[in-house]
Amino acid sequence: MDFNYSKFRVKSDSKVNLKDFATSENGGFDKKSAGDEIKKNIKQLKELQEMFYADDRYSLLIILQARDAAGKDGVIRHVMSGINPQGCRVHSFKTPTTNELEHDYMWRHYRALPERGMIEIFNRSHYENVLATKVNPQWILNERIPRYGSVDEIDKQFWENRYAAINAIEKHWYDNGMRILKFFLNISKEEQKKRFLARIDEPDKNWKFNSDDLHARSQWDKYEKAFEEMLEKTSKPYAPWYVIPADKKFFTRVAVGDIILELFKSLDLHYPPAESQEVLDKAREQLMNESLVF
């Protein structure tokens, strides 16, 4: 089934209001047809990923950002389930460690970047440095950046500098063969509440619930503003953001899979040239004439 995903793509330098983006969308799918689409995508992704690895010119960085319970883990599990694990890694970034805070905020992300032929998924990413820290600017002080010794000194220019630095770094990655897809999973406040309650009420989901999630939920409006500014400032032609409706998990997974597949198809991938037919023929003859030794 064809669906126009361009409406989810944030245009470069455009004003973003998340209320203009849907949280609930089925794209014409139901759970069964979505499952069929995902299976089809997995088969194609598996074939293209092998060629992507052999082609060895590009790498792919997939960035997933979202509010809590929006379904990032489910997207990874379902969309990438058919990929050869030797060619795909997932890195989940949590609160920076003491060692990580001894470096600039991009250091730990740079260390996890994919090499050519590889796919890397960032489950949360360097964008936490203009999201979580923007909502909670006191956390910036842990970085001990010269000239920023108090929250009052963290001004608008500080954030503009961060957006500009991220854009420049991602452009550098792109120019050197990395392709970048960035997905913001857009869940509604009502759906997040339902999922939190399910984690509390269903024993096999209790482990997923973290009381800290309620603190972030209490900052919903502040995060909304931070997400909007992040999308406005950092969606670029070389590293676009897609705002994916996340209230219906089956459609979220279909949409992400279709967009990744579309990127792969655009790369003109091919297997490297084989040795000459003459060399292959001689190799075959040599193998066929080997004496069996027991």
Side-chain angles (χ1 to χ4, degrees):
M1 186 180 298
D2 293 327
F3 185 87
N4 182 13
Y5 293 106
S6 63
K7 67 180 181 178
F8 298 153
R9 181 168 175 159
V10 178
K11 295 178 181 178
S12 182
D13 300 317
S14 65
K15 186 68 178 175
V16 173
N17 184 335
L18 279 175
K19 291 181 174 59
D20 295 336
F21 289 88
T23 60
S24 184
E25 169 70 69
N26 63 28
F29 294 93
D30 55 25
K31 286 186 177 181
K32 183 182 184 305
S33 60
D36 293 339
E37 179 78 359
I38 291 169
K39 288 178 182 177
K40 183 183 75 173
N41 284 350
I42 288 171
K43 182 179 179 180
Q44 291 185 70
L45 280 171
K46 182 177 181 180
E47 295 170 355
L48 287 169
Q49 186 260 335
E50 180 177 325
M51 193 181 298
F52 180 78
Y53 179 83
D55 186 282
D56 202 31
R57 289 180 296 153
Y58 300 100
S59 60
L60 175 60
L61 176 62
I62 298 169
I63 293 172
L64 297 175
Q65 289 286 159
R67 299 181 191 273
D68 297 310
K72 298 189 306 301
D73 292 341
V75 165
I76 295 168
R77 186 169 61 253
H78 286 81
V79 174
M80 309 304 288
S81 63
I83 293 291
N84 185 332
Q86 293 184 93
C88 182
R89 296 184 300 250
V90 179
H91 202 110
S92 298
F93 293 98
K94 303 185 184 298
T95 302
T97 65
T98 301
N99 183 45
E100 289 168 344
L101 287 170
E102 291 295 329
H103 302 79
D104 69 273
Y105 66 88
M106 287 297 296
W107 178 76
R108 64 177 182 155
H109 305 288
Y110 239 106
R111 298 175 73 210
L113 291 177
E115 57 265 38
R116 299 187 195 282
M118 295 290 292
I119 302 168
E120 187 79 36
I121 302 170
F122 281 4
N123 186 348
R124 300 191 190 277
S125 68
H126 44 286
Y127 283 99
E128 290 299 311
N129 296 281
V130 291
L131 291 172
T133 55
K134 191 164 191 184
V135 174
N136 303 277
Q138 68 276 14
W139 294 348
I140 291 290
L141 304 183
N142 294 329
E143 299 179 33
R144 303 187 304 286
I145 303 171
R147 297 189 300 110
Y148 296 100
S150 71
V151 171
D152 293 337
E153 294 173 300
I154 303 171
D155 56 7
K156 181 178 180 181
Q157 190 58 50
F158 175 88
W159 299 111
E160 291 294 333
N161 291 345
R162 286 217 159 173
Y163 296 130
I166 289 171
N167 289 335
I169 289 169
E170 290 183 349
K171 181 63 163 60
H172 171 72
W173 294 343
Y174 178 89
D175 288 343
N176 284 274
M178 186 182 298
R179 294 300 174 257
I180 307 166
L181 288 175
K182 302 182 293 196
F183 298 102
F184 172 66
L185 307 188
N186 192 25
I187 190 174
S188 67
K189 197 170 186 178
E190 295 74 21
E191 181 64 21
Q192 187 193 63
K193 179 179 178 179
K194 285 170 57 178
R195 295 183 189 179
F196 279 170
L197 287 171
R199 291 179 177 185
I200 293 169
D201 295 338
E202 299 175 31
D204 60 342
K205 293 184 179 180
N206 288 169
W207 66 274
K208 292 184 177 183
F209 183 75
N210 187 325
S211 57
D212 289 343
D213 295 344
L214 295 181
H215 177 64
R217 182 175 169 84
S218 72
Q219 298 173 310
W220 186 277
D221 291 341
K222 290 182 179 180
Y223 269 104
E224 184 104 333
K225 185 176 180 181
F227 284 129
E228 289 172 346
E229 188 160 345
M230 173 198 76
L231 295 167
E232 288 174 10
K233 300 289 187 179
T234 64
S235 189
K236 301 297 179 183
Y238 53 85
W241 275 108
Y242 289 86
V243 180
I244 306 296
D247 283 3
K248 296 185 186 299
K249 294 180 181 179
F250 65 83
F251 178 72
T252 306
R253 295 161 184 172
V254 167
V256 172
D258 281 350
I259 293 168
I260 294 171
L261 194 57
E262 183 179 12
L263 174 70
F264 270 121
K265 290 178 177 178
S266 74
L267 295 180
D268 187 30
L269 299 172
H270 55 265
Y271 289 107
E275 296 194 63
S276 70
Q277 189 62 48
E278 181 182 1
V279 171
L280 295 175
D281 289 342
K282 286 182 178 179
R284 171 182 288 278
E285 182 180 358
Q286 180 179 336
L287 289 168
M288 295 299 293
N289 290 332
E290 281 183 352
S291 298
L292 296 179
V293 179
F294 295 95

